[in-house]
Amino acid sequence: MHGLLSHVYSAAHAHTQANPLLQVRVLIADVSDVRAVVSSISQTEATVYTIVSDEVGETDAFNNIRIELGLDPFSITPLTTNNTALPQSSSTPSFKYIPIVADSLRECKTVVLGGTFDHLHHGHLILLSTAAWLAKESSFAALAKKAYFEQMESLETRLCAVGSFLKVFKPCVHYRVEGILDDFGPTHNEAEMDAIVASGDTEAGCVAVNALRAENGLPLLDMCVIGVIVNSAAAATVAPGVGGSNNFADKISSSYLREWIAKQKGKAV
């Protein structure tokens, strides 16, 4: 599942360079609350909707929901895991893979992850989706309370965005989404946690969490470290030799999105 999510979101990122805030959501049949999403999208928000499916017949269900609700049907391009029928783009999707131990991808009762999740981007969505997919009963997402600056979303906005996405992606899981005041949140004193999911650039944080849990006599968390989407715009500004497989200066980030927003506002003045 992680491989599919990474492939689709990195491809989507390559096709949204002109507007990196364009929302792309990958939903899983029989797992996600597809009906809620399909019924909430207006005809004017997009002209073509691409659906990932291994069976073309499944795509009919989306338009059946639309017709049932008296809404115009989508124009659908069916995609399969073997045939990515995305339109050609001048950008080449790139994903920085991190080798994952198979045992770390086992389904867990409780999964934890953290981040600021400012302006949810495709990298965030892979991280959140992977954590939700692994969680059997509960998943905990922590949002750090960093100092607010001009383009950063409020904590309330970020809490709502993360919670809303998780509840649609895998509604059968119980989620705790809350702000934290340090790098550890409740991981330092709550024993009932099984695994932690993080991207490669924050792996050191997972190690620090387990070190603190060991110090406090708590069970260590299984670590699931995933790759990141390479942002071609950011990669162009990285010094030669810096953006290698062990460096993440060229990854898509909220900082890049805030910079993009600031530039767009400057153009509008």
Side-chain angles (χ1 to χ4, degrees), residues 238-243:
V238 175
V242 173

Side-chain angles (χ1 to χ4, degrees), residues 1-49:
M1 178 55 63
H2 170 257
L4 175 62
L5 291 167
S6 302
H7 177 77
V8 176
Y9 276 122
S10 58
H13 174 69
H15 291 276
T16 57
Q17 290 292 308
N19 180 9
L21 296 182
L22 184 66
Q23 293 193 2
V24 176
R25 298 291 184 265
V26 177
L27 304 179
I28 311 300
D30 300 325
V31 173
S32 304
D33 190 354
V34 176
R35 184 182 183 87
V37 176
V38 170
S39 62
S40 67
I41 300 175
S42 72
Q43 174 70 13
T44 58
E45 288 180 332
T47 54
V48 176
Y49 294 80

Side-chain angles (χ1 to χ4, degrees), residues 99-143:
I100 298 177
V101 178
D103 290 345
S104 69
L105 289 179
R106 65 181 178 83
E107 188 177 53
C108 301
K109 181 178 178 180
T110 302
V111 178
V112 63
L113 70 159
T116 55
F117 298 108
D118 180 40
H119 293 94
L120 280 185
H121 54 66
H122 301 133
H124 288 146
L125 298 177
I126 296 174
L127 184 69
L128 291 168
S129 299
T130 301
W133 183 258
L134 295 176
K136 185 176 181 180
E137 294 184 10
S138 61
S139 183
F140 178 86
L143 288 81

Side-chain angles (χ1 to χ4, degrees), residues 185-201:
T187 61
H188 78 284
N189 62 0
E190 291 191 16
E192 297 301 318
M193 293 179 175
D194 302 311
I196 185 169
V197 177
S199 53
D201 56 316

Side-chain angles (χ1 to χ4, degrees), residues 226-239:
I226 66 173
V228 299
I229 294 178
V230 175
N231 180 20
S232 58
T237 64
V238 175

Side-chain angles (χ1 to χ4, degrees), residues 2 64 69 76 100 131 133 189 221 225 244 249 261:
H2 170 257
N64 289 339
L69 297 173
I76 295 178
I100 298 177
W133 183 258
N189 62 0
L221 304 177
V225 182
I261 293 171

